[in-house]
Amino acid sequence: MTAGPAFDQHLIDSYVEAGWWGRASLSHFVAGHAARRPDAPAYIVADGLRADGLPAPVLTWAQYHDRSSVLGAILAQAGLRPGSRLAVILPDGATVHTAFLAAEKAGLVVVGVGARAGSAEIRHLLGRTGATALLTHEQFLGRPADEMVAALRADGLAGLRHIVVPDLLAQPTSPVLIDGVPAVAPGTPDATRLLEGRALGPDALFMINSTSGTTGLPKCVLHTENRWFYFHQLAVEAGDLTAADVFLGAVPAPFGFGLWTAHFSPGVLGSPTVVAARFDVDRTLRAIAEHRVSVLACVSTQFIMMLQAPLLDELDLSSLRVMFTGGEAVPYARAAAFEDRTGAKVLQFYGSNETGALSRTSLTDSRERRFGTAGRVIDAMQVRVYDERGAPVAGAPRVGIPACKGPATCVGYLDDDDANAALFTDDGWMLMGDVVEIDDAGYLRVIGRASDIIIRGGKNISAPALEAEIAEHPAVDLVAAVSMPDEVFGERVCVYVTTGGNVPVTLPEIIAFLQARGVGKEQFPERLVQVAELPRSSGGKVAKGALREDIRRRLAAGE
């Protein structure tokens, strides 16, 4: 299979010489922590319980190192050859990170699949990546995982191996099953011997995950570890991170945000990370207080839900000093409220699963900079701006489509020449799908999305720009603007909103609010649908494809 544009050795060496990349993989850092502080916690499971009801919330660094070696050896004994693709579908927790590390030690490439992925997405990703084995828990979304595997085999993946792993903390004595047969687990010394010469280097392909796009089947993104080691450096500088920090990662592990916040940064620093299988507002807040979390990583939706929770003002959250968010626009008023009520500074990166980061905010930025922009562009990422003809934009401010080329980018898309052609410029810069403005101080502000435009009667309406305005309404928590078909205008604007306590809000109220804020009449929505929650894609972003289908259904039904 082709992999897209690869990093050549000259580029790798230049990044290493600059100090952006290194020569050691994550397992090297984990082994060091295990040797120096074997009993210190690596992963803490919020409200974790064993099968016998006893608390078992901690995976130590020694256990993380040893159990990943044993699982890696089991995978090797099962006949999975170096370079094979191992699909992993596990909920967030200590086990999924142990599985990723085990695959690295065994020389296997992880195909990271979201724990809530649908059957069509799973079939597509496994088939597209050539995965030869699938690793799951015994249950998947409340059903036996064997049933899913049987359906995948019947649908053309006849040779797919099925590896069932227990929850390493909840079921510490349960065996690993290989196609239903318990595997013989080697001791740690034997596991180390079995893994000799197999481990992946930091420049090798270590993971293929998917875009969290809102429509169609996802593309497969190729990752090296070194890109995330560089991202880790950016985060350390932005948030003044140290080994004394305690992380809480609320974003799914297979995706970029979840990778650096719960797999790489804590793994390099030796910091404990609090994880849970599902995001729950009250459990998250209690975990912050109980485990003295200092670094929280979550998307905007999650911290807005925390703001609504009565527990926010009842618990001691004084340990929390920084919250990293991203993946969606950061609403100014909500971010300011989070800072005021918790004392934590709100920071963000601007980028994507493909690009990594183009800009970032930091602790030294003013509140206006941190919430009014997406931060200062990162010099090493060589950020350019292109106009609609594809020509670079000079001067300041620069307005257009941003692109980058540097140590945080992925390799490209797997086996997809058309997608890679759209992702890269002819001279190798990786494009974003947004329209941005970069001011003379180097701060970047997203002003629209090239692929998220509603065209009403020939007028282009930026959905993100309209969403940012409506998000400031005091009753609105979350908003998504989508197109709805119209025989006269082609498309009209429909907005979906959620409100705190499901307090009713009407379209005339929203229009009056926008008018008072000086928003032009041509931007006004023409339909409002209030819902209890917005649908989400596997990566946690709003699933706008589902909303477009919903409004079409409503129109067809005459609602």
Side-chain angles (χ1 to χ4, degrees):
M1 288 188 174
T2 60
F7 295 126
D8 62 41
Q9 192 60 48
H10 174 73
L11 186 65
I12 291 170
D13 291 340
S14 68
Y15 286 171
V16 171
E17 184 177 352
W20 300 328
W21 284 8
R23 301 294 191 190
S25 300
L26 184 64
S27 56
H28 166 80
F29 295 97
V30 173
H33 304 318
R36 291 187 295 272
R37 298 181 296 123
D39 298 326
Y43 288 99
I44 302 168
V45 179
D47 294 340
L49 292 175
R50 288 165 47 124
D52 55 13
L54 297 175
V58 174
L59 185 75
T60 67
W61 286 106
Q63 291 170 332
Y64 185 29
H65 175 57
D66 292 343
R67 295 182 187 184
S68 60
S69 293
V70 170
L71 178 55
I74 289 173
L75 297 173
Q77 287 179 322
L80 299 184
R81 298 180 178 179
S84 297
R85 311 288 168 76
L86 170 69
V88 175
I89 308 179
L90 291 173
D92 273 16
T95 304
V96 69
H97 295 285
T98 303
F100 290 171
L101 194 63
E104 178 204 306
K105 291 180 177 182
L108 307 176
V109 179
V110 168
V111 178
V113 184
R116 294 181 295 169
S119 58
E121 181 179 349
I122 293 170
R123 173 64 182 83
H124 168 75
L125 291 174
L126 269 61
R128 188 62 176 266
T129 59
T132 57
L134 172 62
L135 188 149
T136 70
H137 283 325
E138 187 176 6
Q139 296 282 316
F140 173 68
L141 296 180
R143 298 178 58 191
D146 284 345
E147 294 181 5
M148 173 179 63
V149 174
L152 289 168
R153 288 169 175 164
D155 195 22
L157 302 178
L160 185 69
R161 309 288 301 278
H162 186 204
I163 300 155
V164 174
V165 295
D167 185 308
L168 294 178
L169 295 180
Q171 303 165 298
T173 61
S174 297
V176 174
L177 303 179
I178 308 291
D179 293 326
V181 179
V184 177
T188 301
D190 289 337
T192 302
R193 178 180 53 80
L194 287 165
L195 294 172
E196 285 182 2
R198 292 184 61 117
L200 296 173
D203 306 317
L205 177 64
F206 96 97
M207 176 175 282
I208 305 171
N209 70 9
S210 62
T211 57
S212 53
T214 56
T215 60
L217 292 171
K219 297 182 284 291
C220 299
V221 183
L222 303 167
H223 299 263
T224 65
E225 289 196 349
N226 257 331
R227 70 173 303 218
W228 294 111
F229 289 142
Y230 176 67
F231 203 110
H232 160 71
Q233 292 181 38
L234 298 175
V236 167
E237 294 168 1
D240 196 19
L241 307 181
T242 72
D245 280 310
V246 178
F247 286 69
L248 191 154
V251 185
F255 303 102
F257 194 6
L259 282 175
W260 83 259
T261 57
H263 195 64
F264 284 103
S265 279
V268 174
L269 291 171
S271 303
T273 303
V274 180
V275 289
R278 292 181 66 254
F279 174 74
D280 176 86
V281 177
D282 287 354
R283 179 174 57 196
T284 299
L285 291 171
R286 289 193 177 96
I288 292 171
E290 178 183 354
H291 301 293
R292 308 303 294 160
V293 170
S294 57
V295 180
L296 172 64
C298 61
V299 295
S300 299
T301 305
Q302 292 168 324
F303 85 75
I304 290 172
M305 292 170 69
M306 293 181 207
L307 279 172
Q308 299 170 354
L311 271 179
L312 184 72
D313 297 317
E314 297 174 13
L315 297 171
D316 177 8
L317 305 179
S318 60
S319 62
L320 197 61
R321 65 177 192 83
V322 61
M323 186 262 280
F324 285 97
T325 190
E328 301 171 294
V330 178
Y332 193 114
R334 304 303 193 275
F338 192 89
E339 284 197 350
D340 292 340
R341 293 172 65 183
T342 67
K345 291 287 185 70
V346 177
L347 304 180
Q348 64 169 309
F349 286 95
Y350 168 71
S352 67
N353 193 19
E354 293 89 338
T355 62
L358 285 77
S359 66
R360 60 174 174 176
T361 56
S362 68
L363 294 177
T364 58
D365 284 320
S366 67
R367 177 174 282 193
E368 184 62 35
R369 292 291 198 188
R370 285 185 289 108
F371 305 157
T373 77
R376 190 191 297 270
V377 295
I378 299 161
D379 290 342
M381 294 302 293
Q382 306 177 68
V383 177
R384 291 179 175 178
V385 174
Y386 291 89
D387 64 21
E388 65 276 6
R389 300 185 307 275
V393 178
R398 292 178 287 163
V399 177
I401 298 171
C404 63
K405 183 179 185 181
T409 62
C410 74
V411 181
Y413 296 126
L414 172 68
D415 202 18
D416 197 331
D417 292 340
D418 290 341
N420 281 316
L423 178 64
F424 290 94
T425 64
D426 291 340
D427 55 351
W429 261 253
M430 188 176 289
L431 293 159
M432 292 286 292
D434 299 315
V435 177
V436 306
E437 176 185 85
I438 301 177
D439 66 20
D440 55 3
Y443 282 86
L444 182 150
R445 186 170 62 91
V446 179
I447 59 177
R449 182 159 179 81
S451 60
D452 198 2
I453 297 295
I454 300 167
I455 305 175
R456 183 190 186 278
K459 172 69 177 179
N460 289 351
I461 300 170
S462 167
L466 178 59
E467 290 162 355
E469 293 288 349
I470 296 175
E472 296 300 322
H473 189 285
V476 173
D477 285 331
L478 298 170
V479 56
V482 297
S483 64
M484 57 181 181
D486 183 83
E487 291 183 358
V488 176
F489 291 93
E491 295 178 339
R492 291 180 184 264
V493 181
C494 174
V495 293
Y496 284 76
V497 300
T498 69
T499 63
N502 208 28
V503 174
V505 64
T506 66
L507 181 61
E509 288 176 36
I510 294 297
I511 290 175
F513 176 76
L514 293 173
Q515 191 169 25
R517 290 178 63 84
V519 176
K521 183 177 180 180
E522 68 276 6
Q523 307 288 327
F524 289 174
E526 295 163 279
R527 181 162 181 154
L528 181 144
V529 180
Q530 186 170 349
V531 293
E533 61 180 356
L534 295 175
R536 296 276 157 178
S537 64
S538 297
K541 295 183 180 180
V542 173
K544 287 196 170 182
L547 295 180
R548 294 185 188 98
E549 288 299 320
D550 180 76
I551 191 58
R552 291 190 188 98
R553 179 191 59 79
R554 291 173 184 265
L555 292 172
E559 294 183 21

